[in-house]
Amino acid sequence: MKTCATTILAALAVVVTTGCEQQQPGPAEKAGKQIDQAVEKAGQKTQAALEKAEEKTAAAAAKVEKYTDEKVKEAGQAIEKAGEKLQK
């Protein structure tokens, strides 16, 4: 009986230690990791491009606002001059 129990324990130890070995990732797992990395990289590049576009849009909006303010001021001055001429 002792030899039978010892044999069973030895066999169980072999099965347990064999099952604990780390297996190398298969081709599908490797491909999945590569896809994950590609998607992450694409997301980072897209975010960077979006931030750059937002900066350029804000700069363009500031220029348009400045130009518009200048032209409105010029138009106001022209209207005042025209009004002064009409009053004379």
Side-chain angles (χ1 to χ4, degrees):
M1 186 71 171
K2 276 187 171 185
T3 55
C4 185
T6 305
T7 305
I8 291 174
L9 286 175
L12 185 60
V14 169
V15 169
V16 169
T17 57
T18 303
C20 291
E21 289 181 24
Q22 226 177 30
Q23 296 179 0
Q24 296 295 325
E29 190 172 345
K30 287 179 184 177
K33 285 183 181 181
Q34 289 176 341
I35 290 170
D36 289 346
Q37 290 172 348
V39 168
E40 179 68 27
K41 191 173 184 179
Q44 290 172 349
K45 286 186 176 185
T46 301
Q47 184 64 34
L50 177 62
E51 289 171 2
K52 191 172 185 178
E54 287 175 347
E55 290 171 4
K56 288 186 176 187
T57 301
K63 286 181 182 179
V64 168
E65 184 178 6
K66 181 180 177 185
Y67 178 81
T68 303
D69 288 346
E70 290 172 358
K71 294 304 174 184
V72 167
K73 186 177 179 180
E74 289 174 10
Q77 290 171 347
I79 291 171
E80 278 187 43
K81 284 183 183 179
E84 289 172 359
K85 286 184 180 180
L86 286 175
Q87 289 178 353
K88 291 184 183 182

